[in-house]
Every structure is written in structure tokens, then in C-alpha cells.
Amino acid sequence: MLLLALDTATPAVTVALHDGRAVVASFSQVDARRHGELLLPAVDRVLGEAGVKLDAVTGVVVGIGPGPYTGLRVGLMTADTFGLALGIPVHGMCTLDGLAYAAELGDGPFVVATDARRKEVYWARYENSRTRIGEPAVDRPADIAEQVEGLPAVGAGALLYPDTFPDAREPEHVSAASLAALAAERIGAGEELPAPRPLYLRRPDAQVPKNYKVVTPK
């Protein structure tokens, strides 16, 4: 097994390689506006550090969000392209699950929250670092204060809103290393991973105006 993992659902552009036992190379750079520019060089860097070629990869793991439309699609389209070109499977992984897996919070419940912009967070509750409770959601922090009260939280969203998440901790952004490690663990256990389809949770900012009239030549 040699898994190439990547995620662009948060401001971090992050890539890692996992050989089924451990992460052999990884790289992350935080830049919310340059996902498309940074992702392929990051892949080249990780492959070079590991001393392997792209055709040695046996599977791709990609973060499916939730995340903003523009950034998220960069990683998903790149993963799909690798899968088609190499004839290898492409597995989806919830980005919040990767953050939860990297959190060092023991076995108690906690929350993962990332920045959804518009004064909202993408969030989910976890029973432990490997077990999510329910599906991810997008909400204003004040609207979920009672649901997350008393729970530690990780992620950029938690750090942004201390009134709702007073016990906010690192990591701030997901790492492909944690996504790859969790995916390898689940694949090794015979679990089926999600399809590489995006979790947008809301419509993109760019939309066709209402009452738009299409004018066609006669």
C-alpha cells in the first residue's frame, strides 16, 4: 500500500504519503488563495522526499470537506485526475475526521470546528478521535452554543469564536498525514471509505441571478 493523501478544504494545502504502516513524507502550507497554484508542487515535493514516482501510488485519499467550493474542488479534481490516469482507487475522507484524528484529547467527547466564513463554522461532535456523532453541519457559533457547551474543541473555527468554544485547542488546520493515517487504518480494517464527493453543505457564492432572462438570436 502507498496512499497519496491531499486536502484543500481549509486554508491549508496539505499532502502526505502513507505506506500502510506510517507516514513516509508530508508537507503543508497555509494559503487560502493559492490552492490551485500550490497543490501539484506540494505533491512533487512529497514524492521527491519519499524517493518514489507517482506511478508507485496504489490509492489516493482526498479530503471531501466540508469546505468552501473554490478550494475544495481543487483537491477533488486533482485526486480524480490521478485516479483516472493511474487506474487506482480514489477514497474520500471527511476533513473534520482528519482533524479529530490528530487531536490529542483522549477518549472523551469533543468538537471539531473549521472556519466556514460568513461568521459560520463547519462542525461536528466526536465521541473520540475515531468516532464522529452524526453528520457535519454549518451554523453560526452562537446558534450551537448549547450543543457544544463544556466540550473541548479543535480547529480554526473553534479558535475564531472563543465565546462559543472557550476550550479551543490545536490543531488549527487538517493535515494530510492524519487523513492518510486514518484512511490506512480503516482500509486495513476492511472498512469502506466514502466516495470522493464534496461536502459543500451550502450553495456557492456565485449564482445565476433570479429572473435572469436568456436572450437567444432569432
Side-chain angles (χ1 to χ4, degrees):
M1 178 189 295
L2 187 62
L3 296 176
L4 173 66
L6 51 96
D7 192 292
T8 57
T10 74
V13 175
T14 178
V15 180
L17 277 174
H18 196 289
D19 66 3
R21 297 180 300 274
V23 173
V24 295
S26 64
F27 175 76
S28 295
Q29 183 171 344
V30 177
D31 192 328
R33 298 182 180 275
R34 299 174 64 206
H35 290 94
E37 179 182 345
L38 297 173
L39 182 56
L40 289 180
V43 171
D44 286 341
R45 176 172 178 160
V46 167
L47 291 171
E49 183 179 329
V52 299
K53 301 292 186 181
L54 183 60
D55 59 10
V57 173
T58 61
V60 180
V61 176
V62 60
I64 59 175
Y69 177 82
T70 302
L72 187 53
R73 66 179 178 174
V74 171
L76 287 162
M77 291 177 66
T78 301
D80 281 344
T81 300
F82 285 155
L84 288 170
L86 299 172
I88 57 177
V90 180
H91 308 285
M93 287 289 293
C94 174
T95 298
L96 302 184
D97 290 356
L99 268 162
Y101 189 77
E104 298 179 357
L105 297 176
D107 292 329
F110 63 94
V111 177
V112 174
T114 60
D115 182 17
R117 303 173 188 172
R118 305 184 193 175
K119 298 182 180 180
E120 295 179 329
V121 293
Y122 298 117
W123 70 285
R125 286 187 55 166
Y126 287 79
E127 181 179 328
N128 53 53
S129 62
R130 292 171 172 80
T131 309
R132 176 163 29 92
I133 302 170
E135 296 300 317
V138 57
D139 290 289
R140 288 183 176 271
D143 294 340
I144 61 172
E146 291 186 2
Q147 298 179 62
V148 304
E149 185 177 3
L151 296 177
V154 300
L159 293 167
L160 275 173
Y161 300 101
D163 288 346
T164 299
F165 306 101
D167 189 7
R169 312 181 189 183
E170 298 286 343
E172 181 175 1
H173 301 299
V174 71
S175 73
S178 62
L179 277 181
L182 180 57
E185 183 178 296
R186 290 179 173 174
I187 291 171
E191 296 181 31
E192 184 174 349
L193 301 185
R197 298 293 176 263
L199 290 172
Y200 291 131
L201 300 190
R202 65 187 182 199
R203 297 176 63 83
D205 292 330
Q207 300 181 27
V208 176
K210 292 182 179 179
N211 303 318
Y212 178 77
K213 294 182 179 180
V214 178
V215 178
T216 56
K218 295 182 179 180

